[in-house]
Amino acid sequence: MATPHGTAALALAAVLCLLPALASAQLKVGFYQKTCPNAETLVRQAVSAAFAKNAGIAAGLIRLHFHDCFVRGCDASVLLTVNPGGGRTERDAPPNNPSLRGFEVIDAAKAAVEQSCPSTVSCADILAFAARDSVTLTGNVFYPVPAGRRDGSVSKELDANANLPPPTFTAQQLIDRFKNKSLNAEEMVLLSGAHTVGRSFCASFVDRVWKNGTNTPIVDAGLSPSYAALLRALCPFNTTQTTPITTAMDPGTLNVLDNNYYKLLPRGMGLFFSDNQLRVDANLNAMVNRFAANETLWKERFAAAMVKMGRIQVQTGRCGQVRLNCSVVNPSSSSSIELPSLSLADEEQEGVVATS
Ligand code: HEM
Ligand SMILES: *[C@@H]1O[C@H](CO)[C@@H](O)[C@H](O)[C@H]1NC(C)=O
Ligand SMILES: *[C@@H]1O[C@H](CO)[C@@H](O)[C@H](O)[C@H]1NC(C)=O
Ligand SMILES: *[C@@H]1O[C@H](CO)[C@@H](O)[C@H](O)[C@H]1NC(C)=O
Ligand SMILES: *[C@@H]1O[C@H](CO)[C@@H](O)[C@H](O)[C@H]1NC(C)=O
Ligand SMILES: *[C@@H]1O[C@H](CO)[C@@H](O)[C@H](O)[C@H]1NC(C)=O
């Protein structure tokens, strides 16, 4: 049993782990330079090998990092197949299942890194490196990734449903959701440009071309009629979440990270309702036009926005753990100090006040 003093210390540690500014300030480029100098090389090799077999995996890894960071912060919670507290995990949530991909690439990278430097490199950092390498492979853009993230121990389906923006969001809802993750409207528009790579299942856009699951054709106001006809021919009216049909979001060049996303929008070829919202809103549309006109500008700012996204609510230092297997939390005997599941109310009852 913990002593009262021990309990208070643990609670204080928990409060400190929850201070976001403190935590993100501790991420560092070259974090593993001394403890695992080849970590980033090993991750890059795993991503390159997977990319050679299936170029679409790059898009999968970029999205995996986004879906990690928006739910409980960039803590690799999206990778867990089991929540120690029970219940369905983020991976089971409709925004992630069945569309999210790239898990096996992270597992391969983790296996290589563990062999070289056991129990040192977090899954959350591996994911951030892998997303960067995917940007490099598809867009010929390199950016240094500040690292030192620690892995979380909780993954809940409901957190994914509540925090990931759905493709039915309006411009204002998109702005608000990104703002809640400390990203501004321009960063939202910049990061949406990731839809220049990858694919989507029918379920995410079918309601723009078929009326509410019936065989009555419609054309969403933001879609060009010819593009809508293509999508209607591809996706059955009775599409469900698991209908195994996908389409490229940037039809010509689905494995090239370019600024074509912004050029497609004014042509009524943004695949999602949410994509088209970027041109419905005048402020956002001005940004769309700027990024459509200058790819260098977009790539520079996209890289910076990826780095900023990678800082969302990270745990660092002695908070969280370095998972040994990215799919499951460590057995408690091998875990380091973990964030106890105290609510703020619990902490107040214990009379612990965070100072900074
Ligand atoms: C702005 C709000 C966003 C919405 C509403 C949104 C929505 C979606 C949806 C519905 C899909 C298709 C899922 C399916 O297959 O059914 C998708 C795919 C994708 N998204 Fe987003 N997304 C957003 C922002 C982002 C951001 C910030 C990134 C990364 C920086 C991103 C990267 C991707 C990528 C790369 C894919 C393709 C995945 C693959 O091919 O496996 N998205 N997104
Ligand atoms: C985001 O929303 C959550 C839940 O409403 C809130 O607790 C949190 O403070 C918000 N974060 C930011 C940065 O706005
Ligand atoms: C759409 O269809 C579902 C069932 O298929 C029905 O419950 C719902 O009311 C319909 N919505 C509209 C707006 O017609
Ligand atoms: C969709 O409708 C088609 C023809 O109307 C039918 O053959 C098929 O079984 C339906 N699929 C689902 C998933 O309901
Ligand atoms: C495009 O953006 C780059 C990077 O910000 C800038 O150096 C360049 O001058 C811009 N090009 C044009 C034509 O505005
Ligand atoms: C990681 O854990 C999963 C789930 O328990 C298991 O299937 C997998 O084999 C483990 N991977 C390694 C490398 O131990």
Side-chain angles (χ1 to χ4, degrees):
M1 235 195 88
T3 63
H5 178 76
T7 306
L10 208 58
L12 180 61
V15 171
L16 292 176
C17 286
L18 290 170
L19 288 177
L22 208 72
S24 82
Q26 288 166 3
L27 292 183
K28 242 177 55 185
V29 170
F31 182 81
Y32 296 109
Q33 205 157 24
K34 293 215 174 78
T35 55
C36 190
N38 55 357
E40 295 192 43
T41 303
L42 292 171
V43 173
R44 188 176 67 241
Q45 286 168 350
V47 174
S48 298
F51 183 75
K53 285 191 209 139
N54 172 10
I57 215 68
L61 290 167
I62 293 168
R63 184 168 183 241
L64 201 48
H65 182 44
F66 161 49
H67 280 206
D68 181 30
C69 293
F70 265 55
V71 186
R72 308 188 76 90
C74 314
D75 70 341
S77 55
V78 72
L79 303 178
L80 291 173
T81 54
V82 182
N83 178 38
R88 287 155 62 92
T89 62
E90 291 174 29
R91 276 174 86 150
D92 300 322
N96 290 333
N97 183 13
S99 60
L100 216 51
R101 54 177 169 165
F103 295 102
E104 67 292 341
V105 184
I106 301 301
D107 288 340
K110 177 64 170 174
V113 169
E114 279 300 309
Q115 195 161 37
S116 188
C117 352
S119 200
T120 303
V121 183
S122 69
C123 297
D125 279 343
I126 289 175
L127 188 44
F129 295 145
R132 183 270 314 277
D133 297 336
S134 298
V135 168
T136 306
L137 285 165
T138 53
N140 197 26
V141 176
F142 177 86
Y143 57 93
V145 173
R149 296 168 190 80
R150 307 269 292 176
D151 298 326
S153 305
V154 176
S155 180
K156 296 180 182 168
E157 172 178 11
L158 292 181
D159 286 338
N161 292 339
N163 286 280
L164 295 170
T168 49
F169 259 13
T170 62
Q172 195 55 52
Q173 288 172 315
L174 292 168
I175 291 168
D176 291 346
R177 178 58 54 83
F178 276 67
K179 186 169 181 210
N180 181 266
K181 303 297 173 186
S182 308
L183 295 166
N184 63 32
E186 185 181 82
E187 287 156 346
M188 187 273 287
V189 173
L190 284 163
L191 291 167
S192 296
H195 288 174
T196 178
V197 290
R199 43 89 159 145
S200 172
F201 282 75
C202 286
S204 297
F205 56 84
V206 70
D207 60 345
R208 304 184 78 196
V209 296
W210 291 113
K211 189 173 179 180
N212 193 28
T214 68
N215 65 354
T216 306
I218 53 168
V219 179
D220 177 295
L223 274 181
S224 95
S226 58
Y227 188 45
L230 269 175
L231 298 176
R232 201 177 301 116
L234 182 73
C235 298
F237 68 87
N238 55 359
T239 286
T240 67
Q241 174 73 18
T242 53
T243 298
I245 303 172
T246 62
T247 191
M249 293 187 287
D250 177 355
T253 55
L254 84 164
N255 293 319
V256 181
L257 190 90
D258 53 20
N259 66 342
N260 208 38
Y261 172 78
Y262 303 102
K263 297 178 182 168
L264 290 173
L265 293 182
R267 296 169 53 198
M269 289 184 70
L271 185 57
F272 307 132
F273 174 84
S274 54
D275 292 325
N276 187 61
Q277 286 295 297
L278 306 191
R279 84 182 171 112
V280 166
D281 178 290
N283 281 329
L284 303 183
N285 190 48
M287 301 174 196
V288 166
N289 290 335
R290 219 175 318 131
F291 302 139
N294 190 337
E295 184 168 70
T296 310
L297 176 72
W298 173 66
K299 284 187 169 180
E300 276 179 16
R301 295 200 186 169
F302 175 74
M306 286 292 285
V307 170
K308 192 162 169 203
M309 184 177 84
R311 293 184 184 278
I312 298 173
Q313 287 173 277
V314 292
Q315 299 184 48
T316 58
R318 290 161 69 81
C319 305
Q321 61 179 212
V322 171
R323 237 177 262 156
L324 300 173
N325 177 334
C326 291
S327 306
V328 287
V329 303
N330 294 339
S332 40
S333 56
S334 68
S335 68
S336 50
I337 293 178
E338 287 187 41
L339 184 62
S341 57
L342 295 173
S343 71
L344 281 172
D346 290 332
E347 283 149 13
E348 278 158 19
Q349 277 160 21
E350 302 228 320
V352 177
V353 177
T355 54
S356 54

mmCIF file of all heavy atoms in Angstrom, residues 202-207 209-217 231-245:
data_model
loop_
_atom_site.group_PDB
_atom_site.id
_atom_site.type_symbol
_atom_site.label_atom_id
_atom_site.label_comp_id
_atom_site.label_asym_id
_atom_site.label_seq_id
_atom_site.Cartn_x
_atom_site.Cartn_y
_atom_site.Cartn_z
ATOM 1 N N CYS A 202 -16.111 3.985 -49.803
ATOM 2 C CA CYS A 202 -17.343 4.634 -50.259
ATOM 3 C C CYS A 202 -18.136 5.287 -49.120
ATOM 4 O O CYS A 202 -18.746 6.346 -49.295
ATOM 5 C CB CYS A 202 -18.250 3.613 -50.953
ATOM 6 S SG CYS A 202 -17.672 3.117 -52.605
ATOM 7 N N ALA A 203 -18.131 4.642 -47.962
ATOM 8 C CA ALA A 203 -18.989 5.105 -46.864
ATOM 9 C C ALA A 203 -18.760 6.572 -46.507
ATOM 10 O O ALA A 203 -19.671 7.235 -46.014
ATOM 11 C CB ALA A 203 -18.774 4.227 -45.629
ATOM 12 N N SER A 204 -17.542 7.085 -46.759
ATOM 13 C CA SER A 204 -17.226 8.445 -46.333
ATOM 14 C C SER A 204 -17.782 9.536 -47.243
ATOM 15 O O SER A 204 -17.734 10.714 -46.907
ATOM 16 C CB SER A 204 -15.707 8.606 -46.201
ATOM 17 O OG SER A 204 -15.215 7.742 -45.205
ATOM 18 N N PHE A 205 -18.299 9.144 -48.428
ATOM 19 C CA PHE A 205 -18.814 10.177 -49.342
ATOM 20 C C PHE A 205 -20.092 9.760 -50.078
ATOM 21 O O PHE A 205 -20.653 10.535 -50.846
ATOM 22 C CB PHE A 205 -17.733 10.571 -50.364
ATOM 23 C CG PHE A 205 -17.201 9.408 -51.163
ATOM 24 C CD1 PHE A 205 -17.861 8.957 -52.296
ATOM 25 C CD2 PHE A 205 -16.048 8.744 -50.767
ATOM 26 C CE1 PHE A 205 -17.394 7.869 -53.027
ATOM 27 C CE2 PHE A 205 -15.569 7.644 -51.494
ATOM 28 C CZ PHE A 205 -16.256 7.213 -52.621
ATOM 29 N N VAL A 206 -20.564 8.523 -49.837
ATOM 30 C CA VAL A 206 -21.675 8.001 -50.643
ATOM 31 C C VAL A 206 -22.941 8.853 -50.528
ATOM 32 O O VAL A 206 -23.716 8.977 -51.483
ATOM 33 C CB VAL A 206 -21.952 6.520 -50.280
ATOM 34 C CG1 VAL A 206 -22.560 6.403 -48.884
ATOM 35 C CG2 VAL A 206 -22.851 5.870 -51.329
ATOM 36 N N ASP A 207 -23.126 9.492 -49.374
ATOM 37 C CA ASP A 207 -24.342 10.300 -49.186
ATOM 38 C C ASP A 207 -24.321 11.596 -49.998
ATOM 39 O O ASP A 207 -25.295 12.343 -50.014
ATOM 40 C CB ASP A 207 -24.573 10.596 -47.696
ATOM 41 C CG ASP A 207 -23.428 11.357 -47.082
ATOM 42 O OD1 ASP A 207 -22.339 11.425 -47.704
ATOM 43 O OD2 ASP A 207 -23.594 11.898 -45.969
ATOM 44 N N VAL A 209 -23.871 11.392 -53.267
ATOM 45 C CA VAL A 209 -24.304 11.007 -54.616
ATOM 46 C C VAL A 209 -25.550 10.112 -54.647
ATOM 47 O O VAL A 209 -26.172 9.947 -55.694
ATOM 48 C CB VAL A 209 -23.151 10.343 -55.413
ATOM 49 C CG1 VAL A 209 -22.021 11.336 -55.625
ATOM 50 C CG2 VAL A 209 -22.641 9.083 -54.732
ATOM 51 N N TRP A 210 -25.895 9.516 -53.504
ATOM 52 C CA TRP A 210 -27.135 8.749 -53.393
ATOM 53 C C TRP A 210 -27.907 9.294 -52.205
ATOM 54 O O TRP A 210 -27.323 9.540 -51.145
ATOM 55 C CB TRP A 210 -26.851 7.256 -53.151
ATOM 56 C CG TRP A 210 -26.254 6.479 -54.277
ATOM 57 C CD1 TRP A 210 -25.007 5.935 -54.314
ATOM 58 C CD2 TRP A 210 -26.894 6.102 -55.503
ATOM 59 N NE1 TRP A 210 -24.816 5.254 -55.493
ATOM 60 C CE2 TRP A 210 -25.958 5.340 -56.237
ATOM 61 C CE3 TRP A 210 -28.158 6.346 -56.063
ATOM 62 C CZ2 TRP A 210 -26.241 4.811 -57.494
ATOM 63 C CZ3 TRP A 210 -28.436 5.810 -57.312
ATOM 64 C CH2 TRP A 210 -27.493 5.057 -58.022
ATOM 65 N N LYS A 211 -29.205 9.430 -52.368
ATOM 66 C CA LYS A 211 -30.020 10.037 -51.325
ATOM 67 C C LYS A 211 -30.245 9.069 -50.155
ATOM 68 O O LYS A 211 -30.960 8.072 -50.305
ATOM 69 C CB LYS A 211 -31.373 10.465 -51.911
ATOM 70 C CG LYS A 211 -32.197 11.304 -50.949
ATOM 71 C CD LYS A 211 -33.444 11.839 -51.658
ATOM 72 C CE LYS A 211 -34.284 12.665 -50.688
ATOM 73 N NZ LYS A 211 -35.482 13.185 -51.350
ATOM 74 N N ASN A 212 -29.607 9.340 -49.073
ATOM 75 C CA ASN A 212 -29.839 8.643 -47.800
ATOM 76 C C ASN A 212 -30.023 7.121 -47.938
ATOM 77 O O ASN A 212 -30.994 6.569 -47.447
ATOM 78 C CB ASN A 212 -31.078 9.255 -47.117
ATOM 79 C CG ASN A 212 -31.199 8.803 -45.655
ATOM 80 O OD1 ASN A 212 -30.194 8.501 -45.017
ATOM 81 N ND2 ASN A 212 -32.417 8.748 -45.141
ATOM 82 N N GLY A 213 -29.090 6.486 -48.620
ATOM 83 C CA GLY A 213 -29.135 5.021 -48.684
ATOM 84 C C GLY A 213 -30.173 4.442 -49.640
ATOM 85 O O GLY A 213 -30.348 3.227 -49.695
ATOM 86 N N THR A 214 -30.843 5.303 -50.404
ATOM 87 C CA THR A 214 -31.830 4.809 -51.381
ATOM 88 C C THR A 214 -31.225 4.881 -52.787
ATOM 89 O O THR A 214 -30.180 5.506 -52.986
ATOM 90 C CB THR A 214 -33.103 5.672 -51.364
ATOM 91 O OG1 THR A 214 -32.776 6.971 -51.870
ATOM 92 C CG2 THR A 214 -33.647 5.801 -49.943
ATOM 93 N N ASN A 215 -31.901 4.296 -53.761
ATOM 94 C CA ASN A 215 -31.344 4.361 -55.118
ATOM 95 C C ASN A 215 -31.843 5.573 -55.897
ATOM 96 O O ASN A 215 -32.054 5.519 -57.096
ATOM 97 C CB ASN A 215 -31.566 3.047 -55.877
ATOM 98 C CG ASN A 215 -33.033 2.764 -56.125
ATOM 99 O OD1 ASN A 215 -33.877 3.514 -55.630
ATOM 100 N ND2 ASN A 215 -33.333 1.729 -56.889
ATOM 101 N N THR A 216 -31.981 6.683 -55.171
ATOM 102 C CA THR A 216 -32.286 7.968 -55.813
ATOM 103 C C THR A 216 -30.990 8.765 -55.955
ATOM 104 O O THR A 216 -30.371 9.129 -54.953
ATOM 105 C CB THR A 216 -33.271 8.783 -54.955
ATOM 106 O OG1 THR A 216 -34.408 7.979 -54.692
ATOM 107 C CG2 THR A 216 -33.662 10.069 -55.650
ATOM 108 N N PRO A 217 -30.547 9.012 -57.210
ATOM 109 C CA PRO A 217 -29.304 9.773 -57.379
ATOM 110 C C PRO A 217 -29.465 11.232 -56.971
ATOM 111 O O PRO A 217 -30.520 11.830 -57.212
ATOM 112 C CB PRO A 217 -29.017 9.664 -58.879
ATOM 113 C CG PRO A 217 -30.190 9.017 -59.507
ATOM 114 C CD PRO A 217 -31.163 8.601 -58.473
ATOM 115 N N LEU A 231 -18.491 8.634 -59.129
ATOM 116 C CA LEU A 231 -18.563 8.103 -57.760
ATOM 117 C C LEU A 231 -19.803 7.225 -57.593
ATOM 118 O O LEU A 231 -19.775 6.200 -56.914
ATOM 119 C CB LEU A 231 -18.577 9.245 -56.741
ATOM 120 C CG LEU A 231 -17.331 10.138 -56.726
ATOM 121 C CD1 LEU A 231 -17.506 11.296 -55.744
ATOM 122 C CD2 LEU A 231 -16.082 9.334 -56.380
ATOM 123 N N ARG A 232 -20.887 7.620 -58.263
ATOM 124 C CA ARG A 232 -22.138 6.857 -58.163
ATOM 125 C C ARG A 232 -21.974 5.500 -58.850
ATOM 126 O O ARG A 232 -22.485 4.483 -58.378
ATOM 127 C CB ARG A 232 -23.288 7.650 -58.788
ATOM 128 C CG ARG A 232 -24.659 7.199 -58.298
ATOM 129 C CD ARG A 232 -25.780 8.035 -58.879
ATOM 130 N NE ARG A 232 -25.653 9.447 -58.558
ATOM 131 C CZ ARG A 232 -25.459 10.417 -59.449
ATOM 132 N NH1 ARG A 232 -25.378 10.133 -60.746
ATOM 133 N NH2 ARG A 232 -25.350 11.666 -59.061
ATOM 134 N N ALA A 233 -21.222 5.502 -59.959
ATOM 135 C CA ALA A 233 -20.990 4.241 -60.671
ATOM 136 C C ALA A 233 -20.108 3.304 -59.836
ATOM 137 O O ALA A 233 -20.209 2.083 -59.932
ATOM 138 C CB ALA A 233 -20.319 4.524 -62.011
ATOM 139 N N LEU A 234 -19.275 3.902 -58.998
ATOM 140 C CA LEU A 234 -18.343 3.117 -58.186
ATOM 141 C C LEU A 234 -19.013 2.557 -56.932
ATOM 142 O O LEU A 234 -18.789 1.409 -56.550
ATOM 143 C CB LEU A 234 -17.175 4.031 -57.779
ATOM 144 C CG LEU A 234 -16.056 3.399 -56.963
ATOM 145 C CD1 LEU A 234 -15.210 2.498 -57.860
ATOM 146 C CD2 LEU A 234 -15.187 4.485 -56.327
ATOM 147 N N CYS A 235 -19.834 3.366 -56.295
ATOM 148 C CA CYS A 235 -20.352 3.017 -54.970
ATOM 149 C C CYS A 235 -21.842 2.688 -55.027
ATOM 150 O O CYS A 235 -22.655 3.520 -55.440
ATOM 151 C CB CYS A 235 -20.148 4.182 -53.999
ATOM 152 S SG CYS A 235 -18.418 4.610 -53.754
ATOM 153 N N PRO A 236 -22.240 1.471 -54.576
ATOM 154 C CA PRO A 236 -23.659 1.121 -54.568
ATOM 155 C C PRO A 236 -24.436 2.010 -53.592
ATOM 156 O O PRO A 236 -23.881 2.470 -52.587
ATOM 157 C CB PRO A 236 -23.667 -0.334 -54.117
ATOM 158 C CG PRO A 236 -22.341 -0.584 -53.478
ATOM 159 C CD PRO A 236 -21.383 0.396 -54.067
ATOM 160 N N PHE A 237 -25.719 2.239 -53.908
ATOM 161 C CA PHE A 237 -26.525 3.123 -53.045
ATOM 162 C C PHE A 237 -26.649 2.573 -51.628
ATOM 163 O O PHE A 237 -26.777 3.318 -50.682
ATOM 164 C CB PHE A 237 -27.926 3.339 -53.645
ATOM 165 C CG PHE A 237 -28.795 2.101 -53.642
ATOM 166 C CD1 PHE A 237 -29.562 1.792 -52.526
ATOM 167 C CD2 PHE A 237 -28.838 1.259 -54.747
ATOM 168 C CE1 PHE A 237 -30.356 0.644 -52.520
ATOM 169 C CE2 PHE A 237 -29.624 0.123 -54.745
ATOM 170 C CZ PHE A 237 -30.387 -0.203 -53.626
ATOM 171 N N ASN A 238 -26.585 1.229 -51.521
ATOM 172 C CA ASN A 238 -26.725 0.632 -50.187
ATOM 173 C C ASN A 238 -25.361 0.336 -49.557
ATOM 174 O O ASN A 238 -25.189 -0.632 -48.844
ATOM 175 C CB ASN A 238 -27.590 -0.631 -50.260
ATOM 176 C CG ASN A 238 -27.066 -1.646 -51.269
ATOM 177 O OD1 ASN A 238 -26.059 -1.395 -51.927
ATOM 178 N ND2 ASN A 238 -27.739 -2.776 -51.367
ATOM 179 N N THR A 239 -24.393 1.187 -49.851
ATOM 180 C CA THR A 239 -23.068 1.097 -49.239
ATOM 181 C C THR A 239 -23.182 1.089 -47.710
ATOM 182 O O THR A 239 -23.993 1.834 -47.150
ATOM 183 C CB THR A 239 -22.217 2.308 -49.683
ATOM 184 O OG1 THR A 239 -21.823 2.122 -51.027
ATOM 185 C CG2 THR A 239 -20.992 2.497 -48.814
ATOM 186 N N THR A 240 -22.352 0.259 -47.081
ATOM 187 C CA THR A 240 -22.261 0.291 -45.615
ATOM 188 C C THR A 240 -20.819 0.622 -45.231
ATOM 189 O O THR A 240 -19.944 0.733 -46.099
ATOM 190 C CB THR A 240 -22.616 -1.069 -44.984
ATOM 191 O OG1 THR A 240 -21.603 -2.021 -45.358
ATOM 192 C CG2 THR A 240 -23.982 -1.550 -45.451
ATOM 193 N N GLN A 241 -20.601 0.759 -43.935
ATOM 194 C CA GLN A 241 -19.277 1.085 -43.391
ATOM 195 C C GLN A 241 -18.193 0.144 -43.925
ATOM 196 O O GLN A 241 -17.056 0.540 -44.104
ATOM 197 C CB GLN A 241 -19.370 1.013 -41.859
ATOM 198 C CG GLN A 241 -18.069 1.188 -41.098
ATOM 199 C CD GLN A 241 -17.580 2.621 -41.107
ATOM 200 O OE1 GLN A 241 -18.344 3.547 -41.382
ATOM 201 N NE2 GLN A 241 -16.306 2.817 -40.818
ATOM 202 N N THR A 242 -18.561 -1.117 -44.197
ATOM 203 C CA THR A 242 -17.538 -2.099 -44.572
ATOM 204 C C THR A 242 -17.554 -2.463 -46.058
ATOM 205 O O THR A 242 -16.802 -3.333 -46.474
ATOM 206 C CB THR A 242 -17.702 -3.394 -43.752
ATOM 207 O OG1 THR A 242 -19.056 -3.840 -43.893
ATOM 208 C CG2 THR A 242 -17.395 -3.152 -42.283
ATOM 209 N N THR A 243 -18.391 -1.808 -46.844
ATOM 210 C CA THR A 243 -18.365 -2.089 -48.296
ATOM 211 C C THR A 243 -16.929 -1.892 -48.801
ATOM 212 O O THR A 243 -16.380 -0.793 -48.684
ATOM 213 C CB THR A 243 -19.339 -1.147 -49.043
ATOM 214 O OG1 THR A 243 -20.659 -1.394 -48.580
ATOM 215 C CG2 THR A 243 -19.275 -1.380 -50.548
ATOM 216 N N PRO A 244 -16.319 -2.958 -49.348
ATOM 217 C CA PRO A 244 -14.868 -2.927 -49.595
ATOM 218 C C PRO A 244 -14.475 -2.252 -50.909
ATOM 219 O O PRO A 244 -13.663 -2.771 -51.657
ATOM 220 C CB PRO A 244 -14.493 -4.415 -49.596
ATOM 221 C CG PRO A 244 -15.710 -5.077 -50.152
ATOM 222 C CD PRO A 244 -16.898 -4.271 -49.704
ATOM 223 N N ILE A 245 -15.055 -1.106 -51.192
ATOM 224 C CA ILE A 245 -14.716 -0.383 -52.419
ATOM 225 C C ILE A 245 -14.081 0.946 -52.016
ATOM 226 O O ILE A 245 -14.610 1.645 -51.157
ATOM 227 C CB ILE A 245 -15.977 -0.121 -53.274
ATOM 228 C CG1 ILE A 245 -16.676 -1.446 -53.598
ATOM 229 C CG2 ILE A 245 -15.618 0.640 -54.546
ATOM 230 C CD1 ILE A 245 -18.036 -1.269 -54.265
#
